[in-house]
């Protein structure tokens, strides 16, 4: 589910900051990342999918959401049934339940991700450079405290 939530977070265009008077169209976080890196093909690292990666692939094939009365809604059993009929894929009942749950997870994350301050649901492990930087700052802080203690 974290893979699906991360994709929802990346695909969402966050609200503008209160003082932002820009008239430019809002961009998704993924579009912003690509623009910041000047790399239209950039794809951030996503969480690994162990075991049920095929179900996530099915979700993207069906479409993670569908149009509902007041916006987007989760996939319905009817929509999944129609997809099965069109593709020849036969899902077990538990697989259908998981597809619906993944669809709901996607929508919940999209709604949360509309807030500009929403953190990503998943971060890759920190790099060696990040860890080294943290270690250096900790060492400087310890030295500063030690120096204050000697006074």
């Amino acid at each position: 589910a974290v893979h699906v939530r991360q994709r929802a977070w990346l695909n969402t265009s966050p609200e503008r900051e209160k003082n932002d008077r820009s008239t430019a169209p809002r961009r998704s976080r993924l579009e912003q990342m690509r623009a910041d890196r000047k790399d239209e093909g950039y794809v951030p690292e996503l969480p690994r999918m162990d075991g049920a990666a095929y179900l996530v692939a099915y979700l993207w094939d069906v479409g993670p959401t569908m149009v509902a009365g007041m916006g987007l809604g989760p996939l319905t059993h009817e929509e999944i049934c129609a997809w099965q009929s069109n593709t020849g894929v036969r899902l077990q009942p538990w697989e259908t339940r998981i597809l619906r749950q993944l669809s709901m997870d996607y929508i919940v994350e999209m709604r949360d991700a509309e807030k500009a301050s929403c953190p990503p649901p998943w971060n890759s492990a920190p790099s060696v450079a990040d860890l080294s930087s943290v270690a250096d700052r900790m060492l400087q802080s310890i030295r500063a405290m030690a120096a204050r203690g000697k006074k």
Side-chain angles (χ1 to χ4, degrees):
V2 109
H3 182 92
V4 170
R5 291 179 54 231
Q6 185 75 5
R7 293 275 302 263
W9 184 86
L10 287 167
N11 291 333
T12 299
S13 300
E15 297 171 338
R16 296 185 195 283
E17 299 291 333
K18 291 186 188 219
N19 59 355
D20 184 351
R21 303 283 184 239
S22 173
T23 58
R26 294 183 316 166
R27 294 186 298 184
S28 72
R29 285 187 172 85
L30 180 57
E31 291 168 328
Q32 291 171 10
M33 289 175 178
R34 288 176 172 169
D36 291 346
R37 287 173 174 74
K38 296 177 177 53
D39 179 0
E40 284 301 312
Y42 173 73
V43 177
E45 183 180 355
L46 292 169
R48 286 185 38 209
M49 295 184 293
D50 295 325
Y54 74 98
L55 288 172
V56 173
Y58 288 167
L59 179 71
W60 303 137
D61 193 38
V62 178
T65 64
M66 56 185 296
V67 176
M70 297 292 287
L72 296 178
L75 296 175
T76 63
H77 286 282
E78 292 81 12
E79 190 74 17
I80 295 170
C81 186
W83 173 80
Q84 289 183 86
S85 177
N86 288 339
T87 62
V89 173
R90 292 290 162 239
L91 298 175
Q92 297 294 315
W94 67 268
E95 293 170 312
T96 301
R97 287 190 298 275
I98 288 176
L99 270 183
R100 281 190 37 81
Q101 183 60 54
L102 291 173
S103 179
M104 288 184 254
D105 290 347
Y106 188 89
I107 291 170
V108 167
E109 188 63 39
M110 278 183 66
R111 290 186 180 138
D112 289 347
E114 288 175 349
K115 297 177 199 88
S117 62
C118 179
W122 180 81
N123 282 319
S124 59
S127 68
V128 172
D130 291 338
L131 294 174
S132 178
S133 174
V134 169
D136 288 344
R137 284 183 294 196
M138 286 178 62
L139 184 57
Q140 290 170 3
S141 294
I142 292 168
R143 285 181 178 152
M145 287 189 291
R148 283 191 293 257
K150 288 182 182 179
K151 291 183 181 179

